[in-house]
């Protein structure tokens, strides 16, 4: 599975950005899609995930500000980020988990989000 993410960039505090991720390759049995992020000097952390039936999970730090969505027909996942804060600055990684297969977890190459005035 290859994951192509787009939509990162520079935003001002309080602004918005939208990330999108399109998987390709052996995409059958993908059941969980989501986003992680890694800020400089910190460990990678979960931002949000969404299952194939639409169940979502968010980090406490982004609840009420970020919204994850998924198009099952296209197997794409989006992350709408509103009310951005400087502490949201990080490299954001698209993630998918497959229900079957020798390898289950896949990561994208990362897209940089910078929140600064």
């Amino acid at each position: 599975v290859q994951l192509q993410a787009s939509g990162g960039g520079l935003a001002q505090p309080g602004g918005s950005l939208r990330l999108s991720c399109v998987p390709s390759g052996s995409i059958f049995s993908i059941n969980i899609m989501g986003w992680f992020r890694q800020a400089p000097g910190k460990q990678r952390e979960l931002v949000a995930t969404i299952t194939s039936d639409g169940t979502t999970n968010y980090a406490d730090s982004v609840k009420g500000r970020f919204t994850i969505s998924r198009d099952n027909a296209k197997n794409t996942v989006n992350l709408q980020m509103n009310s951005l804060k400087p502490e949201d600055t990080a490299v954001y990684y698209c993630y998918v988990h497959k229900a079957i297969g020798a390898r289950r977890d896949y990561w994208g190459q990362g897209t940089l989000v910078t929140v600064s005035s």
Side-chain angles (χ1 to χ4, degrees), residues 42-92:
K42 295 187 177 181
Q43 290 187 332
R44 189 174 298 187
E45 62 177 3
L46 178 143
V47 177
T49 59
I50 185 167
T51 65
S52 55
D53 65 359
T55 301
T56 58
N57 180 46
Y58 294 93
D60 288 342
S61 59
V62 306
K63 283 180 180 177
R65 300 188 298 121
F66 291 10
T67 302
I68 190 168
S69 61
R70 175 174 178 168
D71 184 332
N72 283 329
K74 298 179 180 179
N75 259 324
T76 58
V77 61
N78 303 300
L79 185 69
Q80 179 66 41
M81 304 184 293
N82 298 328
S83 302
L84 283 163
K85 303 176 180 180
E87 51 263 43
D88 295 318
T89 295
V91 177
Y92 284 69

Side-chain angles (χ1 to χ4, degrees), residues 2 5-6 17-19 26 29 35 38 40 44-45 52 54 58 67-68 74 83 88 90 95 100 105 108 115:
Q2 296 78 45
S6 61
L17 285 173
R18 182 178 176 87
L19 304 182
S26 180
S29 82
W35 296 90
Q38 187 167 15
R44 189 174 298 187
E45 62 177 3
S52 55
Y58 294 93
T67 302
I68 190 168
K74 298 179 180 179
S83 302
D88 295 318
Y95 163 80
I100 60 175
D105 298 305
V115 183

Side-chain angles (χ1 to χ4, degrees), residues 12-33:
Q12 292 187 339
S16 299
L17 285 173
R18 182 178 176 87
L19 304 182
S20 295
C21 179
V22 180
S24 61
S26 180
I27 63 174
F28 71 94
S29 82
I30 289 177
N31 59 349
I32 301 172
M33 306 182 78

